[in-house]
Amino acid sequence: MHIKTILTQTYHDQNPGTSGLRKKVSVFKQVNYLENFVQAIFDSLENYQEKSLVIGGDGRYFNQEAIQIIIKIAAANGFGELIIGQNGLLSTPAASHIIRKYGAFGGLILSASHNPAGEHGDFGIKYNINNGGPAPEKDTLAFFERSKTLEHYKIAELPDINLDEIGTQSIEALKITIIDSVADYAELMQSIFDFDLLKQSIQSGYITLAFDAMSAITGPYAKHIFVDMLGAPIDSLNNAQPLEDFGGHHPDPNLIYAHELADLMFSDKAPTFGAASDGDGDRNMIMGKGIFVTPSDSLAILAANATLIPGYASGLKGVARSMPTSQAVDRVAKKLNIPCYETPTGWKFFGNLLDADKITLCGEESFGTGSQHVREKDGLWAVLFWLNLIARRRQSVLDIVEEHWQTFGRDIYSRHDYEAVESSIAQEIMSSLREQIQTLPHQTFGEYTVKYADEFCYHDSVDGSTSANQGFRIGFENGSRIVFRLSGTGTVGATLRIYIERFEPDSEKHHQDPQIALAQLIELAEQFC
Ligand code: G1P
Ligand code: ZN
């Protein structure tokens, strides 16, 4: 194999955010841009020679082209085997599982998650380590540092590899293995959930289902699991064909972008259960007939009911939530007498806790839920968890949620996003908040008295690392909270996120519209910034 060393220009903007390097496709298509970043990653890693690397992506525009480039750079840098999803496709949770299952050194996942795709959309690349989870901050910082001084990359002179045929081929000492994108993942799901019960509940019509794959990666996974394995009718699936531009959808499963599903679930024709996933399959939106379950509530409900699922029958070690996620799961943890950890936004912070066996379930308010089974959040896993719960409890989603609120109280919750804010303005808002938090404690605003106000700084109890500047928390005496932080995944200007929550123990008051129930806090939040 002939290996060339290419002299390249250095880029200074390759700083990975909350979840890998995400940029407009046009940025990634600049000369040597992708090549540089991949080389910067490999230069920052050690002892991977002759080991295996998993490669796959969500199928968006530039996915296949990028994979061909990565194959050649990985070959030149001495990997022993490349394990690639058929046609270059792997959902993020499936990639995580495959890294773990095959004991790979790591993996490269090509995705910009829920950001729109296509020629004018976004592209992204993320490195995952051998536990299957996103590289920790010390690694992503090292990638960025290396990229700023990089002058050469190595590339093997190889023909393009045929990605559609399953099997292994060897090119000298390098093995290239194309695997079925779905099979390993489906088998993992079968080992966690009661597929016999699910099959019976679906085939008898007790559970009817609508799943929206938003023209992104989960279509083939959903078809295999829900239709082929569990017997759901094919018309339970919507937008199940992955498209390079995601059919022009914004594949972010929430009430705005998955409004077709939401409209259905609030109509007379609603099935018993509705769900959607995002571009790369790690997010989930859960709905029942006439109800939308907030991700924060979903995490709490899964934790409270986990022992009903075969894979979690022996109970939970602990739980974790990202800082802005509501405190609903904290109440469950307290009742179960298990630890509950508060981590910064981003899945990478759960990895150490999962590896050290300190937690079994974790989640984020941003439609991400997951467990020990992989080191990424997992959309279809969450969907199967809910289906398994409905089948076991023989109750509707609405009844399960309302019973949960009756037992634990309701954490009424909302997130407001201010997108494409000019960066300098966003920075000014953050500086001003930093000043204000000094004086806020003990001040009273209407019925809200500030108990604490701080800038969240996380101390990882496993590796002792510290992650500072993770957003501002303002907590009130009555348990309410306002959180401010800047997004780390946006690609245009800055996105300011404001998270608002209020605890309501009184079940007579559980049916309020969150925007009305939170109105005073929303006003306060706007006043602060
Ligand atoms: C967003 C979410 C965060 C999630 C990340 C990747 O990041 O808020 O919870 O982990 O996407 O899916 P943000 O844009 O807020 O930095
Ligand atoms: Zn995603």
Side-chain angles (χ1 to χ4, degrees):
M1 183 183 321
H2 185 234
I3 293 167
K4 293 189 291 189
T5 300
I6 308 284
L7 182 68
T8 180
Q9 71 277 44
T10 311
Y11 289 98
H12 294 273
D13 65 343
Q14 300 192 323
N15 190 10
T18 312
S19 191
L21 185 68
R22 279 189 203 168
K23 301 277 176 194
K24 291 270 160 227
V25 165
S26 54
V27 173
F28 264 103
K29 280 198 153 185
Q30 293 173 93
V31 180
N32 295 335
Y33 192 88
L34 175 69
E35 288 85 342
N36 277 25
F37 189 63
V38 173
Q39 186 67 57
I41 293 174
F42 294 161
D43 283 355
S44 313
L45 305 173
E46 276 172 2
N47 300 324
Y48 55 78
Q49 280 73 18
E50 291 162 36
K51 302 200 175 124
S52 54
L53 180 75
V54 171
I55 308 171
D58 62 15
R60 66 178 61 224
Y61 180 80
F62 196 50
N63 191 54
Q64 297 244 1
E65 220 176 298
I67 289 180
Q68 296 295 348
I69 294 172
I70 293 168
I71 291 173
K72 292 169 190 149
I73 299 181
N77 281 275
F79 277 95
E81 182 178 12
L82 305 177
I83 303 173
I84 308 170
Q86 190 178 19
N87 295 315
L89 298 179
L90 282 178
S91 76
T92 294
S96 180
H97 174 54
I98 284 160
I99 295 171
R100 296 163 67 77
K101 178 168 176 182
Y102 295 102
F105 182 85
L108 285 171
I109 302 177
L110 309 176
S111 168
S113 186
H114 50 284
N115 295 10
E119 211 174 331
H120 305 290
D122 290 349
F123 189 74
I125 176 166
K126 180 167 92 161
Y127 179 72
N128 279 29
I129 59 176
N130 68 346
N131 74 351
E137 254 182 357
K138 69 169 174 34
D139 290 345
T140 55
L141 282 172
F143 305 159
F144 181 40
E145 283 312 312
R146 178 65 190 121
S147 71
K148 288 189 286 189
T149 58
L150 192 103
E151 290 175 345
H152 299 94
Y153 66 86
K154 284 194 278 184
I155 190 157
E157 276 192 336
L158 293 177
D160 277 359
I161 302 299
N162 178 356
L163 300 177
D164 45 73
E165 250 169 65
I166 292 174
T168 298
Q169 49 178 300
S170 294
I171 304 175
E172 294 170 31
L174 175 70
K175 275 203 316 191
I176 298 183
T177 302
I178 310 292
I179 57 167
D180 184 299
S181 309
V182 178
D184 292 307
Y185 177 81
E187 192 182 84
L188 176 67
M189 293 301 109
Q190 206 169 9
S191 74
I192 299 173
F193 300 106
D194 188 343
F195 269 44
D196 289 336
L197 174 67
L198 282 174
K199 201 167 162 179
Q200 184 225 316
S201 306
I202 289 175
Q203 289 185 342
S204 67
Y206 178 72
I207 295 180
T208 51
L209 143 97
F211 178 79
D212 193 339
M214 304 188 88
S215 307
I217 189 73
T218 50
Y221 291 84
K223 173 162 183 305
H224 186 74
I225 295 172
F226 299 137
V227 179
D228 302 345
M229 295 173 88
L230 299 176
I234 186 80
D235 64 6
S236 317
L237 308 183
N238 237 324
N239 301 312
Q241 178 65 37
L243 301 172
E244 276 203 334
D245 65 350
F246 298 155
H249 290 124
H250 190 146
D252 198 358
N254 58 39
L255 291 175
I256 294 172
Y257 295 124
H259 62 88
E260 276 173 31
L261 177 73
D263 292 348
L264 173 70
M265 296 310 295
F266 284 110
S267 77
D268 293 344
K269 295 195 198 87
T272 44
F273 181 80
S277 191
D278 72 332
D280 62 329
D282 57 358
R283 294 187 174 199
N284 70 85
M285 176 168 85
I286 301 295
M287 299 192 73
K289 192 175 171 58
I291 184 172
F292 156 70
V293 187
T294 71
S296 295
D297 277 345
S298 177
L299 174 63
I301 292 167
L302 300 191
N305 291 282
T307 51
L308 297 178
I309 307 295
Y312 308 102
S314 60
L316 306 177
K317 293 271 168 50
V319 289
R321 61 161 171 84
S322 69
M323 183 271 277
T325 302
S326 96
Q327 299 161 90
V329 72
D330 304 35
R331 300 177 208 289
V332 175
K334 200 164 167 208
K335 183 161 177 219
L336 297 176
N337 200 17
I338 54 172
C340 176
Y341 298 85
E342 183 175 39
T343 57
T345 295
W347 207 260
K348 59 189 172 211
F349 296 98
F350 294 131
N352 280 344
L353 296 170
L354 290 164
D355 283 349
D357 229 6
K358 290 186 168 210
I359 58 169
T360 312
L361 296 187
C362 46
E364 297 193 89
E365 51 65 42
S366 54
F367 299 81
T369 333
S371 91
Q372 271 292 355
H373 71 289
V374 286
R375 292 296 178 273
E376 290 279 4
K377 52 187 177 252
D378 190 343
L380 287 179
W381 167 88
V383 172
L384 286 163
F385 202 132
W386 268 96
L387 289 171
N388 204 154
L389 268 192
I390 299 167
R392 263 305 294 273
R393 290 186 46 155
R394 295 264 135 188
Q395 270 180 312
S396 69
V397 175
L398 185 70
D399 288 347
I400 293 175
V401 173
E402 290 194 339
E403 238 184 79
H404 185 89
W405 289 343
Q406 270 160 25
T407 311
F408 294 93
R410 177 178 179 189
D411 290 84
I412 304 174
Y413 188 84
S414 183
R415 178 177 110 182
H416 291 193
D417 290 342
Y418 298 80
E419 291 174 349
V421 178
E422 205 179 291
S423 299
S424 59
I425 295 178
Q427 289 307 335
E428 266 176 54
I429 294 175
M430 294 313 263
S431 310
S432 136
L433 283 166
R434 192 166 286 121
E435 270 171 37
Q436 287 179 67
I437 55 167
Q438 318 283 345
T439 58
L440 280 178
H442 314 303
Q443 286 196 48
T444 298
F445 304 88
E447 58 180 276
Y448 296 96
T449 301
V450 178
K451 188 172 174 191
Y452 65 89
D454 62 11
E455 185 161 15
F456 183 54
C457 176
Y458 178 62
H459 302 284
D460 186 312
S461 58
V462 180
D463 67 11
S465 65
T466 293
S467 304
N469 309 111
Q470 298 294 330
F472 298 104
R473 299 188 293 190
I474 301 171
F476 299 90
E477 296 289 354
N478 59 10
S480 300
R481 272 199 328 171
I482 302 175
V483 168
F484 298 88
R485 60 177 284 281
L486 291 184
S487 154
T489 59
T491 53
V492 184
T495 298
L496 173 68
R497 303 202 196 284
I498 306 183
Y499 310 78
I500 307 126
E501 70 182 283
R502 180 164 85 76
F503 180 59
E504 181 52 76
D506 181 356
S507 50
E508 296 290 307
K509 296 184 186 157
H510 281 168
H511 294 94
Q512 306 174 65
D513 175 336
Q515 302 312 318
I516 295 169
L518 297 170
Q520 272 193 49
L521 280 169
I522 293 170
E523 224 181 278
L524 252 184
E526 287 178 354
Q527 188 183 317
F528 291 147
C529 66

